[in-house]
Amino acid sequence: MAVYSMTGYASAQHSTAAHEAGAAAPARRLGLEIRAVNSRFLDLAFRLPDELRAHEPALRELLTAELKRGKVEVRATIESEDAAGLADPAPRLLQRLNSLQDGIRAWLPSAAPLSVAEVLRLSAAGQSGGENWGKAVQTLAAKVVQELLAARQREGARLVAMLADRLGQLRALAEQAAPLVPQLVEQQRQRFLERWAEAMALADGATLPEAAQDRALTEATAFAIRIDVAEEITRLASHLDEIERLLDKGGEIGKRLDFLIQELHREANTLGSKSAALELTRISVDMKVLIEQMREQVQNLE
């Protein structure tokens, strides 16, 4: 299955003509665009002109069926395509507006007269009143949603490639750390015993009691266990395997990957805190840099 990003953009336009009383009106253009960014859930927002408000439920149903997560904004516009950008008001409509204005001002003398802008707006609304945008909106919306899905799939493929690259780098760092673990444990154990022996040698040549030797060995072993990071490296490798499996499987993996990234960061942080060598500290820092890069990108996956 494909992996989809929550980020994407798509737009399309459709030209049509409105009719009023059998007379052809200037052609009009319907534009629809969809923008999507990452979000924990599916969050839909619509910016529609009044003529298209009735189609919002159908658009919402279409998007809900195709998208699972993301903050999605749907914006639609209706514009005139004639050269002047505005249609000439029909004389009959102007007469009707004038008659209505006179009737209203007869009852409300203080009412303000219509402005030119208001007349043009009412004229445009009158010309488009008989137009049915339903089929055009549905057809255009289906097209834009498919383009959005294609864009999100391309972005998802790019993110998967980046994550696979970071997985390879993390595996390489883990392989560098693995041979250091037994060496560091043994070094720390020997160093502890040597210092204990030196301390006993300063005790006026007294013989080191057997119980004291056993105590030293026990404490050295306990210290070696505390700095042993083999378990962290094993768990880290297990998390890397699971992330790789999810990327190969595809689908809605964003939330699971986000959880696994948190676990990766926990293991890398523990590796650094238990480190008894500069080389292991460097490896831990490099791991955390890579994991943070992965976290930023995983936030965009659906």
Side-chain angles (χ1 to χ4, degrees), residues 14-277:
H14 171 76
S15 296
T16 185
H19 298 275
E20 181 184 15
R28 308 179 75 208
R29 182 174 60 248
L30 170 64
L32 185 68
E33 65 176 24
I34 303 179
R35 303 173 185 269
V37 295
N38 61 318
S39 176
R40 292 185 62 191
F41 308 101
L42 182 60
D43 181 10
L44 302 179
F46 294 87
R47 305 288 184 268
L48 306 178
D50 292 339
E51 296 173 72
L52 303 181
R53 284 293 179 188
H55 304 292
E56 180 176 327
L59 292 174
R60 185 178 297 274
E61 182 179 354
L62 174 63
L63 292 169
T64 303
E66 296 290 349
L67 307 177
K68 305 305 179 184
R69 294 177 61 198
K71 185 175 183 179
V72 182
E73 179 181 318
V74 181
R75 185 182 298 271
T77 58
I78 299 176
E79 300 176 351
S80 174
E81 287 190 335
D82 66 338
L86 291 173
D88 294 333
R92 186 175 59 182
L93 178 61
L94 293 177
Q95 291 175 357
R96 178 61 176 162
L97 290 175
N98 186 61
S99 175
L100 290 173
Q101 177 176 247
D102 290 343
I104 292 173
R105 298 193 70 186
W107 288 93
L108 302 172
S110 60
L114 289 171
S115 67
V116 174
E118 290 170 336
V119 170
L120 290 174
R121 180 174 58 81
L122 292 171
S123 174
Q127 289 178 345
S128 62
E131 184 166 5
N132 182 9
W133 292 100
K135 184 176 179 181
V137 169
Q138 289 298 315
T139 301
L140 194 62
K143 177 183 177 181
V144 176
V145 168
Q146 291 306 313
E147 292 181 359
L148 176 68
L149 289 174
R152 287 167 61 131
Q153 184 176 356
R154 291 192 298 271
E155 178 67 10
R158 187 189 68 81
L159 294 178
V160 168
M162 188 283 292
L163 292 172
D165 175 72
R166 300 303 186 272
L167 285 177
Q169 296 185 50
L170 285 171
R171 289 189 187 280
L173 290 172
E175 290 175 359
Q176 295 177 26
L180 298 176
V181 175
Q183 299 175 18
L184 291 172
V185 171
E186 183 60 25
Q187 288 175 8
Q188 292 299 325
R189 184 172 178 274
Q190 291 298 327
R191 185 179 305 171
F192 192 90
L193 289 175
E194 290 171 2
R195 290 182 178 178
W196 178 267
E198 291 173 359
M200 292 299 99
L202 297 176
D204 298 329
T207 303
L208 188 64
E210 183 177 351
Q213 292 180 354
D214 293 340
R215 174 88 178 267
L217 183 59
T218 301
E219 293 187 8
T221 302
F223 181 74
I225 292 174
R226 286 199 301 272
I227 66 170
D228 186 2
V229 293
E231 185 176 351
E232 282 73 18
I233 294 177
T234 300
R235 285 199 297 264
L236 191 143
S238 176
H239 296 328
L240 294 178
D241 290 340
E242 179 63 12
I243 292 175
E244 187 173 24
R245 186 189 70 81
L246 288 174
L247 292 178
D248 291 338
K249 176 185 176 183
E252 301 169 30
I253 60 175
K255 291 184 177 180
R256 289 182 61 85
L257 285 179
D258 189 40
F259 171 76
L260 288 170
I261 292 298
Q262 295 179 33
E263 294 302 306
L264 276 181
H265 188 272
R266 189 195 313 276
E267 302 304 337
N269 196 54
T270 304
L271 181 67
S273 63
K274 293 175 65 173
S275 173

